[in-house]
Amino acid sequence: MKSVDFNSGKIPNWCPGCGNFAIWNAIKGAIAELDINGKDIVNISGIGCSGKMLNYLRTYGFHTLHGRTMPVATGVKLTNHKLTVIVNGGDGDGYGMGMGHFIHAIRRNLNITYLIHNNHVYGLTTGQASPTTDKGLKSKSTPHGVIDEPLNGLFVSLSAGATFIARGYSGDLEHLKSIIKAGIMHNGFSHIEILQPCVTFGKHYGYEYYDERVYRIADDYDPGNFEEALKLIREKDKIALGIIYKVDRPTQEEQLPQIKNKTLIDQGIVKRDISAMLKSFA
Amino acid sequence: MKSVDFNSGKIPNWCPGCGNFAIWNAIKGAIAELDINGKDIVNISGIGCSGKMLNYLRTYGFHTLHGRTMPVATGVKLTNHKLTVIVNGGDGDGYGMGMGHFIHAIRRNLNITYLIHNNHVYGLTTGQASPTTDKGLKSKSTPHGVIDEPLNGLFVSLSAGATFIARGYSGDLEHLKSIIKAGIMHNGFSHIEILQPCVTFGKHYGYEYYDERVYRIADDYDPGNFEEALKLIREKDKIALGIIYKVDRPTQEEQLPQIKNKTLIDQGIVKRDISAMLKSFA
Amino acid sequence: MLKIKIGGPAGLGIMSTGLMLSKLFKRLGYTVHGYPEYPSLIRGGYNNYLIIADTNEVYAPYKKYDILVALTDVAITNEKIDEGMILLADIESTKDKTNLKGKVLDLPFKKILSKLEVNEIAKNSIALGALIKLFNLDFDCLDEMLKENYSNEKLYKINHQAAIEGYNTIQERINFSVSKKDTERIVLSGNEAISLGAITAGVNFFATYPMTPASSILHFLAEHEKSFNIITKHTEDEISAINMAIGASYAGARSMVATSGGGFSLMVEGLGLAAIAETPIVIVESQRPGPATGMPTWTEQGDLKFVLNASQDEFVRVVLTPGDVEELFYFTFEAFNLAEKYHIPVFILSDKFLSESHFTTKPFKTDHLQIDRGLIFGGDPEKPMEFFPRYKEVEKGVGMRTIPGTPGGLYKAPGNEHDEYGFVTDNAENRVIQQKRRFKKINYITNDIPHPKLYGKIDAEITVVCWGSVKMQMMEILKITDRINFIHFPAIYPLDWSKVKTMLENRNLIIVENNMTAQLKSVIAENTGLIIEKTILKYDGRPFFADELYEKITGEAL
Amino acid sequence: MLKIKIGGPAGLGIMSTGLMLSKLFKRLGYTVHGYPEYPSLIRGGYNNYLIIADTNEVYAPYKKYDILVALTDVAITNEKIDEGMILLADIESTKDKTNLKGKVLDLPFKKILSKLEVNEIAKNSIALGALIKLFNLDFDCLDEMLKENYSNEKLYKINHQAAIEGYNTIQERINFSVSKKDTERIVLSGNEAISLGAITAGVNFFATYPMTPASSILHFLAEHEKSFNIITKHTEDEISAINMAIGASYAGARSMVATSGGGFSLMVEGLGLAAIAETPIVIVESQRPGPATGMPTWTEQGDLKFVLNASQDEFVRVVLTPGDVEELFYFTFEAFNLAEKYHIPVFILSDKFLSESHFTTKPFKTDHLQIDRGLIFGGDPEKPMEFFPRYKEVEKGVGMRTIPGTPGGLYKAPGNEHDEYGFVTDNAENRVIQQKRRFKKINYITNDIPHPKLYGKIDAEITVVCWGSVKMQMMEILKITDRINFIHFPAIYPLDWSKVKTMLENRNLIIVENNMTAQLKSVIAENTGLIIEKTILKYDGRPFFADELYEKITGEAL
Ligand SMILES: Cc1ncc(C[n+]2csc(CCOP(=O)(O)OP(=O)(O)O)c2C)c(N)n1
Ligand SMILES: Cc1ncc(C[n+]2csc(CCOP(=O)(O)OP(=O)(O)O)c2C)c(N)n1
Ligand code: SF4
Ligand code: SF4
Ligand SMILES: [Mg+2]
Ligand SMILES: [Mg+2]
């Protein structure tokens, strides 16, 4: 399949120059190269500019509530674990509203790929500070500067036990595509944070900002090394791009005898016979 | 003031032998030794056996909703930062339902002391698995064994930037009391996880279990050392008790010019004059 | 009719003893009802279990009862004991002997325990043994019960011994005739009926967060998850639970959530998502008193209007309000069909009294039950990546569902207003088309859900109007008098209100509800203009007691 | 009356231009109303701002308007232009010239921009200049406005130049007489009125999570947090927002939250906590179409019954439904008093139309306003650690609040049912006492909140019944006819319904609501038995337009 085959036909209404375009192209490229049929992909979105993603992809999709992608994705995956489940959401959506779900989704380790569009701002609601906005920065909700400590999403997911942690950048499309591919192929929960410039409200974190700081992780880097991963995650001035951490742990779907042989979907819905069970109530 | 002065007069209805009794005594001891008047303390509780704590203390108290201690405590502290705010909640309450709030409370770094009673189980609702229950363990909600990865609460709070992280144990009352004292005295958010045996439903994690594994952190340990802290937090077989991590960072209340000179409460509520402001609408 | 209460501190196992005794009477041919009371704590406090047993049908608890078995003092101080009663208590261990009223039969628990060298829990079996003797019943029948209950041989032995001791203690007899042995009928709680209904209906995804009085549905389904291939999830919170269930349903599962009002509060946002995405979902809401945490282990019917109006803006939902275990079972089964036929959220509104009390019933017949999954697109393998107009009406306002994985069935399930393919649009005309289509379903649903029903003599002097579990007390009252009949609402929305109005008109009506503001009264007035003036309301956390309610009705209205 | 619309793609700054134009007309002595429309996206899409200006009062938007300023093609294709209209557009840049209808005045945006070498944003000032000329107005007045708006000198210069170019382009004149200069009255949005009301009332804690159409309250209060010592918090979610506000209120702050229906869904649980802990709280809920995410930037009155019934079990709340900016301001002020006098949650129910549109009003008079914090315990320094019966009735069902830190005022604020000191109890009698006490407040609140009011000729042929923002359209209609009058509900709960009934009886009533199911109609029926048969409902995300509504009413009922 080709990348363009995954265009839904709707034209993205992101601002010209928005980092979401690159993510869109990276996703299409990744699933095209992996040759997954759109009917077997479910794109799940939160609410935000980031969440609009699913409208532009020729796949199944669920545009959920703000912050609630993780539970919906979990329900989908447990019901039919043959589906490729890809989630798109913002930093507000995932690290703010959705933080609790995020941590518990990591604990479950379902084979889901979660792309967090980190633009350090609430885009769709026109520019409030997000959990990743740096201290001191002014925004519509913090006209006198942010005073909360910014959140290091990758560190939090490492601490919660994520089995795949990566960082991509809208300004490096090919690399981003390869990361998304790796995330989809990883058998477990993949947390991919994407540095996504918001050209309208997140101007502090523009392409120039990132271009000065990002670098691709060296090819010989061992993502299985926890200490090294921690080092990359806690870097201050430079920003590493690539697969930072990756370990193998059984997925939740593999541990459920209920769906060992067949997905729930393939089992179908049948009227069950409870007559034997009723005896215990006699 | 003496410890008994903080008895509310209500007799705790925890099961005989429950680890919450020691926590109760430790709290009373700590505030007595710090000589804080009960009128200047607000005890905030979640819902659970743990949450009943506030009923047994002669202080102000707010028995909030399940999982919602952090926002309520934040509102109280920001309104009157002269108050000593102590929070009690369970592992289900704080690491399950309340996880999102917990992380964001840490980012705010208010001077609040948060005691998480970790009994690895939902006590009050009669024995379901909690986020800290180990894999494989059977419970009412997981009769065939837990399959989610257990949560390391201290690691998560370290990753979110907590400025005070400690672990206490109901089986070591004096030590627990000293930790709680240190937590209250710490100028910032203190996360104190307490190993609290639930003798009725959490039997796997009983006193014997802990007695075999716990040890007090050596006196010369430097809680300012992040790497050392991480090591203790990630220990597998032994369980360190004491102040694991402690750094100083300005609290949120110190960074708000609105309450620089006076608490909101001391400022009182006055009708404000908006006439000057109205001109900008002309 | 026999009314026996066993009381004692929490943690002693009174609830399971109560159930054993209920089953025992049932097996002896009686009809039983068991009503448990307990506070929100694990040990101590005061628990009790009231058993009503009769050769006739029984449905509801009574305030006045005949026999109290006091496992400790706490029962004696917490209960109003009057002279007509029989009190089984450990006289020696009773601190304040002036409390020992009525006909006191000594049950020397303490002595027996120390003689057998067993712990307190064995008091239950002592009490059971004593009661068996008192009623002159066959010890074997109890023994069988004990065997079933204590699969652990050692535990069984202890309890067997204890029961014998209890049996041997009692000399008195109560005249009591055993009818025929009954191994046919079943004794079960409301939550068990719901769980069985869901299992029969093929539920395969259940997500929840524990909350009294709904938690036992989780425990039951989790227990049987492997035998029936059900995925049960205790999620991080109720928000997650409903969204997970919605995701599962979207992917093709039959999914359900169960909670109480507080947990449902957290599901309100997700409810709206299910509504606009038209993802079928079954929601069990078992009510308890609020506001907020309220009185966690007690009962109330306070959430009707909440459930009817929850979530922003307007959409169609079904609110079923079953009144007994049969209705709980069959309605739960049907709830899945309704949800999938109409692509809507369907509520089963229960309450603590109904969810956790025990009732006798015939084993549920399921032969006639049929699973109806509604319209599901079969797929078009020729054009696998084609979008499908999933939100275009096919019939009755309902579109054709397509399940992810289906070739040619691509669509977007949206929380936003959307076009026929699920793509977001703000277009005014489209909005009206979609809202009208979604609401059109109402006209058909009304024929698919149970209508209010009159019980008792058609022209009784007074007609009680009630919903949900109050049916149980009213059934009990029908046994006493034919001057009262009642109209029960087994569902509240959507109804054919003109039919309801006709049914209610020209009657001497009185509303009976287990809440403070008479919510059904409001709903009736809202939809018919008919304001029922007389009300009997109770909101102290207790269900109506049959005797108490009978008195109130006759006082108010006869 | 002048009706001008400016339309173009999102991101061009049409909203601020609209406001500038509104203010301009206002300063020239006109009364203005500005109604903005925009989709939920940041750039592109179609935005527009409609200005109604007249020497008389104006209140509401009209469907038909006179002048369209098309910043780009998108306005021309999105609007219905008829021959009677004037169209200001860049003829050369218009792709499909057949769309150029009405009297077309060329505004060569493209040429001017390239001449001035400035970017697209300057189109706004070109348009403003053109309009000033068209109406034969003084350029200085616009120039002053530009100066105020662009504090950056360079930006001002650009826009000044652009305005001059626009001014010079237009040759046509519209007959238009300037009344007197007005620097007195103000033009503001509903959300600004709410914010100002809250500031006046001394709000010092505001927690929220951004959500259209409530977000601008956050922006406004945050902007002024330092001048007024307000703590404003954008929390991690709405659950946190309401619980934080409850904590603040408990500790003695005057606290408020603001959200839309979706965010309020997440506050439902906290609402119950505020209710049972009797923590005062003011909740602004600005409605938008749902269900779920619905149509984020559009309007609807779909949340009335949701807000009335939200959260498990039953409790007293106040639901204010202001209909104009004055009411928004004064009711918000009063909301804090009501919350603190009665220890209850108080709602300000607004909607996108009211919250985000602009209205002209006299500057709010505040001399007569008084802060009433209700009963607050002064403390007993002798016994600092004594518990205090905070939940014991002092008067009107209300107890005495004590603020943490107060000596001798210790108590527990509980989510559970509790005794007078706030300690948890399941006791049945206590439950009844506490519920009755909490509900007793209703009897007093009804006298403290505004009653429905009749506007227009008392005996008009038809009486429209409405609530909230529909007042604006009805005020507009009163200007056209005296055959119609209307009864507006500025508050819905709690009301003295017998008085309401008397008011409604014997009139030719018609309900007008911006929703699908006529929720006020339901509420009236529920409380009075009176069913208003005729309804005019709109639920396409748009407010009623005055002309459209007038036609509908006359069509339906006259
Ligand atoms: C419960 C709820 N609260 C608030 C909103 C409004 N809302 C929509 S998107 C958004 C924030 C978007 O920020 P982010 O998640 O970072 O996404 P971005 O637009 O930056 O991609 C908010 C607050 C909502 N839809 N639902
Ligand atoms: C919204 C909501 N859901 C569920 C409950 C029921 N509930 C009360 S306590 C509790 C769990 C308690 O577990 P934990 O927090 O670990 O406290 P513990 O009893 O173990 O101290 C639950 C689920 C509730 N009160 N509110
Ligand atoms: S506002 Fe920012 S994130 Fe949203 S579309 Fe525009 S550039 Fe992208
Ligand atoms: S159930 Fe466990 S946690 Fe609760 S009181 Fe008993 S021992 Fe303590
Ligand atoms: Mg963002
Ligand atoms: Mg626990």
Side-chain angles (χ1 to χ4, degrees), chain A residues 251-263:
Chain A
T251 62
Q252 175 137 125
E253 54 270 36
E254 288 163 359
Q255 296 175 73
L256 287 165
Q258 296 95 313
I259 50 175
K260 186 140 203 129
N261 301 321
K262 273 183 179 181
T263 64

Side-chain angles (χ1 to χ4, degrees), chain C residues 70-87:
Chain C
L71 297 193
T72 74
D73 268 30
V74 71
I76 300 175
T77 48
N78 272 280
E79 294 288 338
K80 268 206 200 100
I81 307 168
D82 69 41
E83 292 304 333
M85 279 167 63
I86 298 174
L87 170 63

Side-chain angles (χ1 to χ4, degrees), chain B residues 14-15 18 20 49 119 123 196-201, chain C residues 42:
Chain B
W14 295 305
C15 309
C18 173
N20 284 327
C49 295
N119 55 6
Q196 173 247 321
C198 165
V199 297
T200 304
F201 300 109
Chain C
I42 307 304

Side-chain angles (χ1 to χ4, degrees), chain C residues 243-258:
Chain C
N243 282 291
M244 217 180 261
I246 289 170
S249 167
Y250 167 73
R254 278 204 145 179
S255 73
M256 178 167 99
V257 297

